[in-house]
Amino acid sequence: MTPTTETTVGIGGAAESTDMVLNIGPQHPSTHGVLRLRLVLDGERITRAEPVIGYMHRGAEKLFEARDYRQIIVLANRHDWLSAFSNELGVVLAVERMLGMEVPERAVWTRTLLAELNRVLNHLMFLGSYPLELGGITPVFHAFREREVLQNAMEEVSGGRMHYMFNRVGGLKEDLPAGWTVRAREAVRAVRSRMDVFDDLVLGNEIFRGRTRDVGVLSPEAVHAYGVSGPIARASGVDFDLRRDEPYLAYGDLQDTLKVVTRREGDCLARFECLLEQTHNALDLADACLDRLAGLPPGPVNQRLPKVLKAPEGHTYAWTENPLGINGYYLVSKGEKTPYRLKLRSASYNNIQALTELLPGTLVSDMVAILGSLFFVVGDIDK
């Protein structure tokens, strides 16, 4: 009989302390965009996280330098494709500041109105898609129905559904269509009447609350350290909103209506609550702008510009409270018709860096909940 040798094979105790590197993504652009997360895991717990960006970088800042001040607007409204109108505002405000240009009052109030409608459109996308990422399919259908109502109003006034190109240096492309304010007011009323879907169906869902409460807590110190802004920062108790603290457009006259929504918890649930309550307030601000526009006499909505527009030599910085956070443009001019330098400070770029602080110590199963609660657009990161 041939002797046999018995060998015992096992993973041993040493394997329990062995880290595993897991790559999440890069994902297809039909999702939030091409983002990759490099996670280091100890079992089911994340010990280190690194967001890897740049997969869809389009060099927008360099393209700004090769186009004149009229043409750069079409580039500016594309980095955060859910906040196109707000993106345009930052550019035109910076150029108008360089020129020392005053914009007609009617244009100021119309810009404010459209910026708030754009804010609602942005927030509705995340109010629907975030529950979807956690397994709740119903809210996204409601969100897209309300978005269609407001997008119809935006399309009628500008001709575009995502990239509006309605801002111009010195004002707006043209005046509002006849009867548009009546239709816009009805659209706002219709959306407001159905917002309880998100209050009841989502926030009232115990599974949603269980997946988001005390998950992904972001401290105020981390908010300041990473330059996080917008509803994500305010959900951690950082009470800062440019519309109130450094008013631009007509926000100085809307302080009685403007409500800066904050929470103290800093978790995924608090971020969703801030986004939802801010949507309610944006609808109120839109109504206030429509009331003011109704009382304004007919007048121009733009300034006459020279055929070749050149900004004087110098530099300036214009920032706005975009739906996802602070959006800023640092403009440097050498007196030519194109910017010498136009640096973009986008909200999502800073906000997504907080993942290095948020994810370590959490479970892999909570990763999607935390990632989705940061409400980012990858084009806004890979500008």
Side-chain angles (χ1 to χ4, degrees):
M1 181 176 180
T2 307
T4 59
T5 303
E6 184 178 346
T7 304
T8 303
V9 178
I11 59 172
E16 296 178 4
S17 61
T18 301
D19 291 336
M20 180 176 72
V21 177
L22 179 66
N23 282 286
I24 307 294
Q27 300 294 342
H28 191 272
S30 63
T31 62
H32 281 304
V34 185
L35 174 71
R36 171 183 159 212
L37 292 178
R38 184 179 182 274
L39 307 179
V40 179
L41 307 180
D42 182 5
E44 287 291 314
R45 197 163 295 277
I46 300 171
T47 60
R48 195 162 65 250
E50 177 191 0
V52 182
I53 64 175
Y55 287 95
M56 60 183 299
H57 180 63
R58 292 163 294 172
E61 292 178 349
K62 297 305 292 182
L63 292 173
F64 286 147
E65 299 171 13
R67 285 155 177 79
D68 65 35
Y69 290 105
R70 292 181 175 90
Q71 295 170 329
I72 58 176
I73 300 173
V74 76
L75 292 173
N77 67 18
R78 279 166 163 75
H79 56 87
D80 174 2
W81 46 77
L82 297 178
S83 309
F85 188 87
S86 301
N87 297 340
E88 298 172 11
L89 271 178
V91 167
V92 297
L93 289 174
V95 179
E96 287 162 4
R97 186 173 297 173
M98 290 283 284
L99 294 169
M101 181 180 291
E102 290 290 331
V103 177
E105 184 180 16
R106 189 170 181 81
V108 171
W109 281 96
T110 304
R111 280 178 173 180
T112 310
L113 166 62
L114 296 177
E116 290 305 312
L117 292 179
N118 193 197
R119 191 180 309 276
V120 177
L121 282 168
N122 175 287
H123 290 357
L124 280 171
M125 174 63 78
F126 292 106
L127 291 175
S129 66
Y130 185 48
L132 180 65
E133 290 164 359
L134 298 181
I137 192 172
T138 305
V140 74
F141 294 112
H142 292 278
F144 269 83
R145 179 183 64 180
E146 311 314 331
R147 275 175 55 84
E148 284 298 309
V149 173
L150 292 177
Q151 276 188 315
N152 289 340
M154 296 291 282
E155 182 180 17
E156 182 184 359
V157 76
S158 67
R161 292 180 65 82
M162 286 190 69
H163 307 305
Y164 305 108
M165 272 303 292
F166 197 58
N167 279 290
R168 295 291 187 273
V169 176
L172 297 168
K173 173 187 173 185
E174 57 195 7
D175 204 350
L176 301 172
W180 181 85
T181 54
V182 176
R183 294 185 289 276
R185 192 183 294 276
E186 175 57 28
V188 170
R189 186 206 62 77
V191 172
R192 181 188 284 109
S193 70
R194 295 191 289 259
M195 285 299 293
D196 61 340
V197 167
F198 302 99
D199 293 301
D200 301 334
L201 185 64
V202 182
L203 283 182
N205 186 290
E206 61 183 53
I207 298 176
F208 178 83
R209 300 183 75 88
R211 289 289 308 275
T212 55
R213 187 191 291 112
D214 298 327
V215 174
V217 177
L218 183 64
S219 68
E221 293 76 20
V223 167
H224 293 298
Y226 287 93
V228 175
S229 59
I232 301 171
R234 292 191 284 273
S236 296
V238 178
D239 189 6
F240 181 73
D241 191 311
L242 285 174
R243 297 173 296 170
R244 179 198 62 195
D245 301 321
E246 289 193 22
Y248 58 98
L249 295 180
Y251 290 114
D253 296 323
L254 291 169
Q255 296 302 305
D256 293 338
T257 308
L258 176 64
K259 179 183 178 183
V260 179
V261 183
T262 60
R263 291 290 187 277
R264 291 291 177 186
E265 296 81 3
D267 57 9
C268 295
L269 180 59
R271 289 191 278 274
F272 187 86
E273 288 177 341
C274 278
L275 200 74
L276 178 56
E277 197 169 335
Q278 191 169 280
T279 307
H280 284 288
N281 186 240
L283 292 169
D284 294 338
L285 288 168
D287 266 339
C289 291
L290 286 166
D291 291 340
R292 183 59 183 267
L293 280 171
L296 290 178
V301 293
N302 48 42
Q303 297 277 22
R304 293 184 64 86
L305 299 177
K307 187 174 182 180
V308 178
L309 179 64
K310 294 183 179 181
E313 189 169 349
H315 61 92
T316 191
Y317 183 71
W319 56 351
T320 57
E321 187 67 41
N322 265 32
L324 298 181
I326 293 175
N327 187 76
Y329 291 98
Y330 177 60
L331 171 63
V332 180
S333 171
K334 294 292 188 180
E336 302 297 330
K337 65 178 183 179
T338 60
Y340 175 76
R341 183 77 172 92
L342 187 57
K343 168 65 179 171
L344 168 59
R345 190 269 188 215
S346 63
S348 297
Y349 180 83
N350 285 72
N351 291 354
I352 205 68
Q353 308 307 318
L355 284 170
T356 59
E357 188 88 13
L358 278 175
L359 290 178
T362 64
L363 296 172
V364 175
S365 57
D366 289 329
M367 185 268 297
V368 173
I370 297 170
L371 181 64
S373 73
L374 291 187
F375 311 130
F376 62 91
V377 172
V378 177
D380 208 37
I381 303 170
D382 292 346
K383 53 194 187 292

